[in-house]
Amino acid sequence: MPAYQDDVRRSRSYSLARLGVDHVDIHRPARLDRSVPIEDTIGAIKDMIDAGYVRFVGLSEVDAQTVRRAHAAHPVVDLQIEYSLLSRAVEAEVLPALRESGIGLTAHGVLGRGLLSGNWVPGRADDPRNHAPRFSAENASHNQTRSGGGVAPGRRWEGVEPSAGDPEEIEAAVPKGTARGDRYPRRSWANLGVGNRRLDGQP
């Protein structure tokens, strides 16, 4: 048994024991090991599905090519990835790949991790967002201004029914490409893509 697959099975056993259940609905690798072919990762999860420990396969923070390769190995039900007015890189290739295969999207960071909700306050030493280029001193002010200037647009529309003209107004206020800075530090997220410049020089 390959070491990687053995690690996956061992992690599954620990997780089920901690949760006190005999199966989980979805197994979604939080971050992929780029040194392991996606087909091997999906194969290990498929073995767990066949054994009754897992019901469905999910993915997290991968590009369109990886989605297609994974889905070819075994049906994938959803992709978890950051998607907001400030993080729209998924629209170019990832969303079309999901639509063509009928794969769902579980979006995180939908309010820009605080930039769109007015909940981010600069200067907090214990804030993990400090490590993200998008929240650096040279980028944060621009991103907060372009996303509403801290007026908390995420709350401003609470309970308001959208009108036909709202999408165009929102697009004009926060156009695609507005945000400055990568979503995550490049050195710790090498070749992530999808909103991060890759270390191999690709966008």
Side-chain angles (χ1 to χ4, degrees):
M1 179 186 298
Y4 176 75
Q5 293 187 1
D6 191 35
D7 288 342
V8 169
R9 289 175 174 81
R10 187 180 302 110
S11 297
R12 175 217 64 207
S13 297
Y14 290 155
S15 295
L16 293 178
R18 285 193 298 268
L19 292 170
V21 298
D22 60 6
H23 75 280
V24 294
D25 287 332
I26 185 167
H27 186 103
R28 182 193 292 119
R31 301 293 179 263
L32 291 180
D33 182 346
R34 294 285 180 175
S35 68
V36 178
I38 184 62
E39 291 81 3
D40 291 354
T41 301
I42 299 303
I45 301 174
K46 181 182 181 302
D47 289 346
M48 291 190 284
I49 291 175
D50 293 341
Y53 296 115
V54 174
R55 294 183 63 198
F56 303 107
V57 177
L59 297 170
S60 180
E61 291 286 355
V62 297
D63 58 21
Q65 180 184 22
T66 303
V67 168
R68 292 188 176 97
R69 287 174 55 193
H71 193 66
H74 185 84
V76 173
V77 298
D78 93 313
L79 168 68
Q80 180 190 65
I81 196 165
E82 185 172 2
Y83 188 23
S84 73
L85 288 172
L86 289 177
S87 298
R88 297 170 60 181
V90 297
E91 295 177 354
E93 297 180 353
V94 173
L95 286 185
L98 298 180
R99 290 188 181 111
E100 72 186 34
S101 298
I103 300 172
L105 173 73
T106 300
H108 71 82
V110 294
L111 291 177
R113 289 185 273 166
L115 289 170
L116 290 167
S117 66
N119 286 332
W120 178 72
V121 178
R124 288 175 49 189
D126 60 344
D127 193 330
R129 290 170 291 188
N130 293 337
H131 302 290
R134 192 159 291 179
F135 290 84
S136 67
E138 61 269 27
N139 293 328
S141 178
H142 165 87
N143 292 334
Q144 196 167 37
T145 299
R146 291 307 305 268
S147 61
V151 186
R155 297 177 189 155
R156 179 173 39 190
W157 300 107
E158 193 172 308
V160 177
E161 291 295 327
S163 66
D166 282 347
E168 290 78 12
E169 185 177 349
I170 293 171
E171 174 69 26
V174 190
K176 188 181 297 185
T178 289
R180 288 181 184 169
D182 287 344
R183 296 194 292 126
Y184 298 103
R186 295 178 69 198
R187 286 293 169 188
S188 58
W189 290 74
N191 298 330
L192 171 65
V194 195
N196 256 49
R197 291 170 297 161
R198 293 162 49 134
L199 292 180
D200 57 12
Q202 298 299 314

